[in-house]
């Protein structure tokens, strides 16, 4: 199975987006391009000392649907030996992110036009006070 990734559309910016310690309002982390978008990875690093819940959802003008909630490992990507948290590779999200694969076997998630992926912290376990989570999304627009 191939492990390489060849982009066929316009590369989506992989800028870091920040969730604040009590981000209860959804933050758009990716959007569908004019012909849709394909997401290849979503990774989160945090300097929080608590394993805060991060809620991932898909939304459009029709409303919002929760994809799931994961507790992001405390200090992931900020402490030596603690890896950045991988939403795509997490077994709890396999039903969403591991079903579709391109011709090279690389998993992806399609976002239709006028549709958004959002993330927020969950009221049950927020980030530690004064800390943030950086969200890194890689994909392409079609």
């Amino acid at each position: 199975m191939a492990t390489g990734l060849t982009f066929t559309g316009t590369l989506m910016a992989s800028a870091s987006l920040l969730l604040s310690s009590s981000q209860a309002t959804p933050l758009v982390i990716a959007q569908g391009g004019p012909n849709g978008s394909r997401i290849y990875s979503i990774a989160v690093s945090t300097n929080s000392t608590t394993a805060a819940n991060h809620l991932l959802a898909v939304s459009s003008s029709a409303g919002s649907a929760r994809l799931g909630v994961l507790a992001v490992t405390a200090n992931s990507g900020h402490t030596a030996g603690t890896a950045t948290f991988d939403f795509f590779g997490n077994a709890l999200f396999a039903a969403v992110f591991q079903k579709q694969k391109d011709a090279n076997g690389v998993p992806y998630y399609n976002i239709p036009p006028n549709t958004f992926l959002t993330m927020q912290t969950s009221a049950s376990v927020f980030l530690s006070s004064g800390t943030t989570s950086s969200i890194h999304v890689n994909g392409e627009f079609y």
Side-chain angles (χ1 to χ4, degrees), residues 21 48 50-54 70-71 121-128:
S21 57
S48 177
T50 61
N53 289 339
H54 289 60
L70 289 177
T121 55
S122 171
S124 57
V125 183
F126 283 127
L127 297 165
S128 304

Side-chain angles (χ1 to χ4, degrees), residues 3-60:
T3 57
L5 179 61
T6 303
F7 291 104
T8 57
T10 305
L11 187 62
M12 182 182 294
S14 60
S16 297
L17 302 164
L18 293 175
L19 282 179
S20 63
S21 57
S22 58
Q23 181 84 37
T25 302
L27 177 69
V28 174
I29 62 169
Q31 65 184 34
N35 299 307
S37 297
R38 188 171 278 187
I39 303 298
Y40 295 103
S41 68
I42 301 172
V44 178
S45 58
T46 184
N47 60 351
S48 177
T49 56
T50 61
N53 289 339
H54 289 60
L55 186 152
L56 186 65
V58 62
S59 64
S60 70

Side-chain angles (χ1 to χ4, degrees), residues 117-141:
L117 277 181
T118 63
M119 189 173 285
Q120 68 191 77
T121 55
S122 171
S124 57
V125 183
F126 283 127
L127 297 165
S128 304
S129 180
T131 63
T132 58
S133 283
S134 297
I135 305 156
H136 313 277
V137 179
N138 290 303
E140 59 186 322
F141 296 113

Side-chain angles (χ1 to χ4, degrees), residues 56-141:
L56 186 65
V58 62
S59 64
S60 70
S61 60
S64 181
R66 178 186 291 207
L67 294 176
V69 177
L70 289 177
V72 172
T73 308
N75 290 309
S76 59
H78 280 268
T79 303
T82 307
T84 299
F85 192 86
D86 178 10
F87 264 77
F88 250 60
N90 190 287
L92 296 176
F93 271 91
V96 175
F97 295 132
Q98 299 298 318
K99 296 298 183 186
Q100 296 176 319
K101 297 187 181 190
D102 67 12
N104 294 318
V106 177
Y108 64 89
Y109 181 75
N110 277 331
I111 304 175
N114 303 314
T115 304
F116 306 91
L117 277 181
T118 63
M119 189 173 285
Q120 68 191 77
T121 55
S122 171
S124 57
V125 183
F126 283 127
L127 297 165
S128 304
S129 180
T131 63
T132 58
S133 283
S134 297
I135 305 156
H136 313 277
V137 179
N138 290 303
E140 59 186 322
F141 296 113

